[in-house]
Amino acid sequence: MSHLLQSTFIPTTPTTLRRRSVFPTTHLRKTHVVESKIREIFMPALSSTMTEGKIISWMKTEGDKLAKGESVVVVESDKADMDVESFYDGYLASIIVPEGSSAPVGSPIALLAESEDEISLAKSKTPTPTSTSTPAAAAAVTEEVSTVAAAVTVTSSSDAGPVKMASSIHPASEGGKRVVASPYAKKLAKELGLDLRGVVGSGPNGRIVAKDVEAAAGSAPIGVAAAAKPSGGAPVAPAVELGTTVPFSTMQNAVSRNMVESLAVPTFRVGYTITTNALDALYKKVKSKGVTMTALLAKATALALVKHPVVNSSCRDGKSFTYNSSINIAVAVAIDGGLITPVLQDADKVDLYSLSRKWKELVDKARAKQLQPHEYTTGTFTLSNLGMFGVDRFDAILPPGTGAIMAVGASQPTLVGTKDGQIGMKNQMQVNVTADHRVIYGADLAAFLQTLAQIIEDPKDLTL
């Protein structure tokens, strides 16, 4: 999708005062003052909540020629990494904000010269990173920029095939001198100890993406990729230096702001115990077809919300609330360095199998930090599931702008009393819903949870 990149022109010829001519006007010769076009490239706003961005990598170096539509820089927003593509031809004259540094939205990050002759002139006008323009001043003129998330697909190792030696060259690779890869592909290669110079990319214009690294690692000689993996099946915690202070990442800053904002909302919680024997049996039947438990829970929740639209509503201004026209289920996913909530849109209308495929795609993109804003900002109801870790119950914090979030615990065998007075064994899970009490009341949540329990305990409608 396209985003606007704010830019201004820097005039290179000073304005001069004209003298009154002593000659008749018929003898005047017209002169044209030509101004060089040096554009300030500003940090774009890649989401509605983004206040600053971090430069992950420059895909071009100073002096490189830019063609319209080429990727220039990878920017980390509050939730994703995005490629920024220029809509202008020219030359990347000067980089103001280097890789690894952050800049506020609207501040200059580079200068773009129209011709090669103007590069040195642009360099002389390069401001220091501290003397950045304000967003208000940057709003005068806009330069369009397209942000395209690299397509990330996952294939099985059996379909990966042999590793190809680099033959296709990305336009930004300077004839093969530079490795052009997605941020996640670079990180994955570093973890696996894999040299990207020997891998061919399957992404746009030959860019290396995660699946290329996975394929290369699967076919690499023993001791190259495998040596980077610790022995044993237990996960190894990342090494940290105790006693150090680590600044928040861009994503952690966004999470922090959202959590503090959520404290201003008056919330309450309601818990419910649901028997899952029928749902577990259904899952065993459809698991081989690619259906995930997350998709089953999202589908069940969406069908329950159809009957209780107030639980799917939201209050943003404290004076009114909106009955949302779509049921978009956001599901919390832990990723490296933070948390994100990919959204299953229209979950009540999409069939279970398509929902599962979509969820797998969203998770892959989330872990590659390639989600587009509409894929994580449009949720109307949120699920947070820690059941896979054996957690039996917990409370979740309400995301700002939504009406409710449901925390799902593990399904566990439990001794229960039957209606005929006998004792039996059933699988049960605990769910706790946190809701905005300005809009949703206790009776609303109780009725919603009763409907949800009925759907899960008799899940025949989930596969329709």
Side-chain angles (χ1 to χ4, degrees), residues 289-441:
K289 299 178 182 179
V291 175
T292 64
M293 181 57 76
T294 297
L296 282 167
L297 292 173
K299 184 68 174 179
T301 302
L303 294 180
L305 289 172
V306 171
K307 299 180 180 180
H308 304 276
V310 69
V311 183
N312 191 54
S313 65
S314 57
C315 173
R316 291 179 173 83
D317 59 5
K319 299 177 181 178
S320 62
F321 67 97
T322 302
Y323 285 107
N324 293 301
S325 58
S326 299
I327 297 177
N328 299 334
I329 305 297
V331 184
V333 173
I335 60 175
D336 184 26
L339 181 75
I340 197 167
T341 52
V343 177
L344 290 166
Q345 299 187 18
D346 295 316
D348 58 317
K349 301 174 182 176
V350 179
D351 69 85
L352 182 62
Y353 304 99
S354 299
L355 207 62
S356 294
R357 289 192 294 270
K358 184 63 178 178
W359 177 242
K360 190 174 187 302
E361 175 191 331
L362 289 171
V363 170
D364 289 339
K365 293 178 72 174
R367 289 175 177 162
K369 300 185 73 175
Q370 295 294 334
L371 287 173
Q372 295 295 319
H374 72 276
E375 293 175 319
Y376 61 83
T377 61
T378 55
T380 59
F381 185 97
T382 307
L383 286 180
S384 182
N385 184 7
L386 292 179
M388 69 285 292
F389 299 107
V391 175
D392 59 355
R393 70 186 70 192
F394 67 102
D395 289 329
I397 299 176
L398 181 68
T402 60
I405 179 172
M406 184 166 69
V408 181
S411 176
Q412 298 177 334
T414 307
L415 284 174
V416 297
T418 61
K419 292 181 180 179
D420 57 1
Q422 301 298 314
I423 295 178
M425 183 76 72
K426 291 185 178 180
N427 293 335
Q428 293 188 329
M429 71 176 183
Q430 302 285 334
V431 297
N432 291 327
V433 181
T434 303
D436 184 344
H437 213 333
R438 298 172 299 177
V439 182
I440 304 168
Y441 305 131

Side-chain angles (χ1 to χ4, degrees), residues 227-252:
K229 296 183 178 180
S231 59
V236 178
V240 295
E241 187 176 347
L242 300 180
T244 58
T245 300
V246 181
F248 280 171
S249 66
T250 306
M251 178 176 289
Q252 287 171 324

Side-chain angles (χ1 to χ4, degrees), residues 1-6 42-53 75-78 82 84 103-107 109 135 143 145-147 372-373 376:
M1 61 184 297
S2 297
H3 294 272
L4 295 179
L5 188 69
Q6 297 175 329
F42 291 89
M43 176 66 72
L46 302 177
S47 72
S48 59
T49 58
M50 179 176 168
T51 58
E52 69 174 13
V75 173
E76 179 189 50
S77 70
D78 51 1
M82 294 188 179
V84 177
V105 169
S107 61
I109 59 175
E143 175 184 356
V145 165
S146 165
T147 62
Q372 295 295 319
Y376 61 83

Side-chain angles (χ1 to χ4, degrees), residues 46-62:
L46 302 177
S47 72
S48 59
T49 58
M50 179 176 168
T51 58
E52 69 174 13
K54 181 180 179 181
I55 304 297
I56 297 298
S57 63
W58 284 98
M59 302 180 72
K60 292 286 187 176
T61 57
E62 292 183 351

